[in-house]
Amino acid sequence: MEKPKSQKPAKMSLVASAAAGKPARAKPAARKKPASRSRKIPYTPEEIREIFRRFSVQRPEPKGELEHVNPFTLVVAVALSAQATDAGVNKATRALFAVADTPEKMLALGEDRVRDYIKTIGLYRNKAKNVIALSQKLVDEFGGEVPQTEKELVTLPGVGRKTANVVMSMAFGVPTLAVDTHVFRIGNRLKIAPGKTPDEVEAAFLRIIPEDYLFHAHHWLILHGRYCCKARKPECERCVIADICKSPEKTVDVAAPLVELPTQIV
């Protein structure tokens, strides 16, 4: 008698669910996360939660440092901040935004005058051209309003994935994670979210950040990298997570006290 063929159990598909924000804030639009291989990290889930808990105590309501008055000026400011400091961008845009805080006003100002306002910023000629092109596209295709989805935002001249994530988070309350040079450095230096590209680091962080800490995680990581875990010389002696950190570059081996810092540093 012929033996029945054994049935192999069906493989279950893994579905990556987008991290939901707090009820009071907008939920992120469904989108594909950047492709990235999962890498083993030297932190337990409890240690990761403790890291973000300490960040939340240190800066309960972190704020972005780019000055803006509405979603449009935020898009422009973030686009201008590429290869420039936030302080330098703010210095240039204060006067610019005082006279042009809408796409229509920016177009009326014209590329030459925009260039004069931002000439202290690196790559100002190309950036002035992008600001005008960005403003024109907003007027022509979006009724002068800044779109709220990544798919639409990245169609704007001078706007990439990082800029889109910053705008969605700061302007529309969507819990995203924009990977700039500071976030990229921390992910790899601490071995907490390693990756060879910003997209890989973003995906790695999104896999491990506790859902209830996701909304502010972007700013916590940026501010930590900017003022404590610095590129050239990390200030481990004043780091709030020094005793948890697994970085081979760490300069202290003892538990660090919780350093009180202002929520926003300008």
Side-chain angles (χ1 to χ4, degrees):
M1 183 175 177
E2 186 178 352
K3 293 182 180 179
K5 295 181 180 179
S6 59
Q7 296 289 327
K8 291 186 178 180
K11 292 183 179 179
M12 295 184 67
S13 61
L14 296 176
V15 180
S17 59
K22 295 182 179 179
R25 300 187 174 102
K27 291 183 178 180
R31 63 181 177 87
K32 240 182 170 182
K33 289 185 180 179
S36 174
R37 291 183 179 180
S38 180
R39 301 185 185 184
K40 189 173 182 180
I41 60 174
Y43 296 87
T44 65
E46 292 74 23
E47 287 175 325
I48 292 171
R49 170 165 284 277
E50 177 62 13
I51 286 172
F52 287 95
R53 186 198 70 79
R54 293 189 192 181
F55 284 157
S56 73
V57 172
Q58 183 184 46
R59 296 183 175 96
E61 291 293 332
K63 304 294 181 184
E65 297 181 341
L66 285 173
E67 297 174 6
H68 61 283
V69 296
N70 55 32
F72 170 68
T73 54
L74 176 62
V75 171
V76 172
V78 179
L80 293 177
S81 70
Q83 299 183 44
T85 65
D86 287 0
V89 172
N90 290 339
K91 186 176 180 181
T93 57
R94 284 178 193 130
L96 174 63
F97 293 158
V99 296
D101 59 357
T102 68
E104 294 81 2
K105 291 178 182 178
M106 196 68 75
L107 289 173
L109 198 60
E111 184 179 331
D112 290 344
R113 292 190 63 193
V114 170
R115 189 167 58 237
D116 289 339
Y117 277 103
I118 67 171
K119 60 185 178 183
T120 57
I121 302 174
L123 306 175
Y124 71 94
R125 294 182 186 278
N126 190 55
K127 289 179 179 179
K129 187 178 296 185
N130 280 339
V131 168
I132 292 300
L134 176 157
S135 301
Q136 190 68 62
K137 191 175 182 72
L138 287 176
V139 170
D140 292 345
E141 299 183 23
F142 298 100
E145 299 294 326
V146 176
Q148 299 187 24
T149 67
E150 180 188 299
K151 183 178 180 180
E152 293 173 313
L153 282 165
V154 296
T155 66
L156 301 175
V159 175
R161 183 184 180 85
K162 186 199 83 171
T163 298
N165 279 341
V166 172
V167 173
M168 287 193 297
S169 174
M170 294 179 64
F172 305 120
V174 178
T176 61
L177 188 78
V179 177
D180 70 347
T181 181
H182 301 297
V183 178
F184 186 82
R185 180 175 67 254
I186 288 175
N188 283 287
R189 174 185 276 170
L190 273 60
K191 299 186 179 299
I192 191 171
K196 294 181 179 179
T197 66
D199 284 1
E200 286 186 1
V201 171
E202 178 186 344
F205 266 124
L206 289 177
R207 283 195 297 270
I208 65 168
I209 296 174
E211 183 180 307
D212 48 332
Y213 289 124
L214 180 58
F215 185 75
H216 288 312
H218 163 70
H219 285 126
W220 284 329
L221 292 167
I222 286 178
L223 293 171
H224 186 64
R226 182 175 292 164
Y227 297 111
C228 185
C229 198
K230 300 176 181 179
R232 293 186 179 180
K233 188 179 179 182
E235 298 181 5
C236 301
E237 68 279 1
R238 57 192 294 268
C239 176
V240 298
I241 60 170
D243 56 315
I244 304 175
C245 177
K246 304 292 196 300
S247 171
E249 298 177 51
K250 189 169 66 170
T251 59
V252 294
D253 295 321
V254 296
L258 184 62
V259 180
E260 293 296 333
L261 296 174
T263 301
Q264 180 177 1
I265 305 174
V266 180

